[in-house]
Amino acid sequence: MTTAYAQRRVAPAPPAPRRSPAGPVLAVLWGGAAAVIALWWHDTGSVVGTAGWLTGAGRIAGLLCGYACAVLVGLMARVPLLERRIGADRVTRWHARAGRYTVCLLVAHVVLILLGYAAQDGSSFLAEALTVVLDYPEMLKATAGTVILFAVGIVSARAVRRRVAHEFWYYLHLLTYAAVFLAFGHQLALGSDFTGNATAQAAWYALYLGVAALVVWFRILAPVRLNLRHRLRVDSVHREAPGVYSVVIGGRRLDEMDVRPGQFLRWRFLTEGMRWTSSPYSLSAPPRPDLLRITVKALGDHSAAVSLLRPGTRVWAEGPYGALTADRQTSHKSLLIAGGAGITPLRALFETLPGDVTLLYRARSNEDLALGGELEAVARWRGAKVLYALNGPRGRRPDLSAPSLRAAVPDLDAHDVYLCGPHGFARDVYEALRTAGVPDSRIHHESFEL
C-alpha cells in the first residue's frame, strides 16, 4: 500500500511565514465587549440605592452574557480564517473558555437582577423569580434557554465530559443554538438599553444574524457543497501496526479541496454504528488528485471500527481545518517530534516541508512504529534524518529532556519545531524545548484536549 500511494516530490523552498491573525481577532472580540459596556454607560444615569446597584450590575452581566453567547457560537462556526490560520485547537480552547465566562455571566445576571427587583419591590427572592418568569414577556422562553445553557455547561465540564459518551456531549452541545434563540427575544423586549434605542437594536440584530449566517454557511452549506462535489468513498483499508489502520479515500477532483499536509478533516463514515459520529483525523500522506489517506489508532469504539470499513463505503467530510502547516515555518531547518498517533500529520509534513528536516518519533517499541517504512523511504530520497525514541529494557522511557534533545539536534534553537502527540507527551516535550532555548514562536503544535 505504501508504494502504491506514495508520490515522490521535490520539497519546495521555504515560504515566507504567514502571521497569525489571532491578535487582531482577539482585539475585535474585546472591543465588542467594551462597546457593550459603553452601551450600558450611555443609557444609565445615576445609580441610587442597593436595588439600583444590584439591577445595574445585573444589566451589565446580562449584556455581556448576550454578547458572549454570540461570540460562543461564532467561534465554533468553523470559519476558515479561524480554523486554518489561527488553528482549530486554539479556537476550541477560546470557545471552551468563553463558555465558562458565559455561564458565570448568566448566573450573575439572573441572581443580581432578581435580587435588585426583589429589593425594589420589597418581596422575597423566590416570589420575585416566579413573578418575572410567569408574568414578564418572553421570559418563559428565556428560562428554557437558560436551563439548556446550564445543562450544556455542566456536561462540558472536564470532569463530567470524561464520563459521558462523545455523541451525548456533542448532540447536547448542539442545543446551544436553541438556547441562544430562545433567550434572544427577552433581551430586546426587557432590556432597558434597547428599549427606544433603534441603533442598539439594529446592532444587536446585525450581531446575531451575522453569526447565524456564518453557522449556516460554514457548518451546513459548505459541507454539503464539498460532499456533493467530491463524492468521497472508502477505497481501501490497510493495517500499519498493532491497532493502527490507514484508510485510503477516493473521490472526484480532490485537488480542488485545498487540503494541505498537516491539516485534518472531520470524517463521518456512513455505515452502521459510525454514521452518527464525526471524528477529526489528519491526513497521513500528502493529498493526491484522486486519493486522500488518514491513519487511525484504535483508542475507542469508533476508531477501532475503522478497521472494519469496506471499500465503497460512503464518506462525509468537513474541512480542511488546522494550522499545523508549512505556513508556520520561519527557518530553513525544522524538527518534527511525534508521539504515538501524532505521527499522522507529521508524516505528511515530513515529505513536503521545505528545507532541512529531522523527524523524532516516540513509540513504545519497533512494532508500534506506524508508517516506519515510508518514513525511511522519504528520509532517503530527500536526505532527511529519522530518529527513534523507543522504550528501553523493562519499559524504561527514553530521555526527552532538554539536554537530550540538544544532543540529538545540536543547533536546536535554530529550528522550527512541529510537535504532535498525546497531551501529556506534548506538554512535557514543550517544556523541554523551552528549557533548551527554543523560542515559543518556533514551537508549533495542535492539541485537542479541552
Side-chain angles (χ1 to χ4, degrees):
M1 189 277 294
T2 58
T3 302
Y5 186 92
Q7 281 188 313
R8 179 171 298 189
R9 61 185 71 201
V10 177
R18 299 174 69 185
R19 186 174 181 179
S20 169
V25 169
L26 285 176
V28 169
L29 294 180
W30 284 112
V36 167
I37 295 176
L39 173 64
W40 172 85
W41 182 271
H42 179 268
D43 292 332
T44 302
S46 58
V47 180
V48 180
T50 301
W53 283 104
L54 289 171
T55 304
R59 283 172 54 201
I60 294 174
L63 285 169
L64 288 174
C65 181
Y67 173 72
C69 283
V71 171
L72 196 68
V73 174
L75 286 174
M76 294 312 289
R78 296 178 184 166
V79 179
L81 174 68
L82 305 180
E83 298 279 337
R84 304 179 194 177
R85 294 288 305 283
I86 295 174
D89 67 320
R90 193 172 183 182
V91 174
T92 300
R93 289 195 294 273
W94 288 358
H95 171 81
R97 191 175 298 119
R100 291 190 285 270
Y101 292 158
T102 302
V103 172
C104 290
L105 287 168
L106 180 60
V107 172
H109 170 63
V110 171
V111 172
L112 290 171
I113 283 290
L114 290 177
L115 286 175
Y117 286 179
Q120 180 177 309
D121 297 339
S123 63
S124 68
F125 181 88
L126 180 58
E128 194 66 36
L130 290 174
T131 299
V132 169
V133 171
L134 298 177
D135 297 340
Y136 282 42
E138 299 286 340
M139 278 306 302
L140 283 174
K141 291 193 295 184
T143 301
T146 298
V147 171
I148 293 172
L149 282 177
F150 278 138
V152 172
I154 291 170
V155 174
S156 297
R158 190 188 298 265
V160 178
R161 185 178 174 183
R162 289 173 176 171
R163 291 171 170 79
V164 300
H166 173 78
E167 290 79 6
F168 176 78
W169 170 86
Y170 176 78
Y171 287 109
L172 181 63
H173 218 68
L174 290 180
L175 290 177
T176 301
Y177 298 126
V180 173
F181 173 78
L182 290 169
F184 179 77
H186 96 285
Q187 298 176 51
L188 298 182
L190 300 176
S192 58
D193 300 286
F194 297 108
T195 305
N197 189 337
T199 301
Q201 290 182 21
W204 214 245
Y205 270 112
L207 173 66
Y208 273 77
L209 290 176
V211 168
L214 292 177
V215 171
V216 171
W217 181 260
F218 291 112
R219 296 209 64 162
I220 300 175
L221 298 182
V224 169
R225 177 180 180 272
L226 181 148
N227 287 278
L228 290 177
R229 184 181 183 87
H230 299 293
R231 304 285 184 177
L232 302 173
R233 292 183 181 273
V234 172
D235 181 87
S236 56
V237 179
H238 308 267
R239 183 180 183 275
E240 303 287 359
V244 180
Y245 290 83
S246 285
V247 182
V248 178
I249 298 165
R252 304 185 305 183
R253 298 181 289 185
L254 300 187
D255 53 324
E256 298 177 8
M257 289 181 65
D258 193 30
V259 58
R260 307 180 60 192
Q263 291 186 314
F264 69 93
L265 294 92
R266 299 179 186 274
W267 304 92
R268 189 187 303 273
F269 299 100
L270 304 184
T271 187
E272 185 177 355
M274 302 183 75
R275 67 177 67 247
W276 299 112
T277 300
S278 175
S279 298
Y281 298 127
S282 300
L283 296 188
S284 61
R288 283 176 36 173
D290 58 337
L291 295 174
L292 302 174
R293 190 185 73 181
I294 59 175
T295 300
V296 180
K297 184 173 183 178
L299 298 173
D301 293 340
H302 184 271
S303 54
V306 165
S307 64
L308 304 177
L309 289 171
R310 294 293 176 260
T313 300
R314 292 181 58 192
V315 181
W316 183 272
E318 299 176 36
Y321 305 121
L324 196 69
T325 66
D327 285 339
R328 290 192 174 185
Q329 195 175 33
T330 63
S331 169
H332 72 283
K333 295 182 178 181
S334 298
L335 171 64
L336 314 181
I337 304 179
I343 190 60
T344 53
L346 299 191
R347 154 65 184 91
L349 283 171
F350 187 51
E351 183 173 335
T352 59
L353 202 63
D356 297 330
V357 182
T358 300
L359 172 67
L360 174 60
Y361 187 0
R362 164 76 176 101
R364 287 191 298 267
S365 65
N366 278 305
E367 191 179 43
D368 294 311
L369 292 173
L371 310 173
E374 292 184 14
L375 298 175
E376 295 290 348
V378 171
R380 284 194 297 272
W381 73 256
R382 70 171 296 171
K385 291 190 295 185
V386 182
L387 308 174
Y388 298 105
L390 306 177
N391 288 357
R394 299 180 181 177
R396 179 170 53 85
R397 294 177 176 271
D399 181 11
L400 294 178
S401 62
S404 176
L405 292 174
R406 291 197 67 90
V409 186
D411 56 344
L412 180 60
D413 55 356
H415 284 65
D416 279 292
V417 181
Y418 288 78
L419 173 62
C420 192
H423 179 65
F425 165 83
R427 181 192 62 238
D428 293 343
V429 173
Y430 175 84
E431 292 174 356
L433 290 168
R434 296 293 288 126
T435 302
V438 181
D440 183 71
S441 61
R442 286 191 171 181
I443 303 175
H444 317 301
H445 63 96
E446 288 186 335
S447 170
F448 294 92
E449 293 280 335
L450 298 182

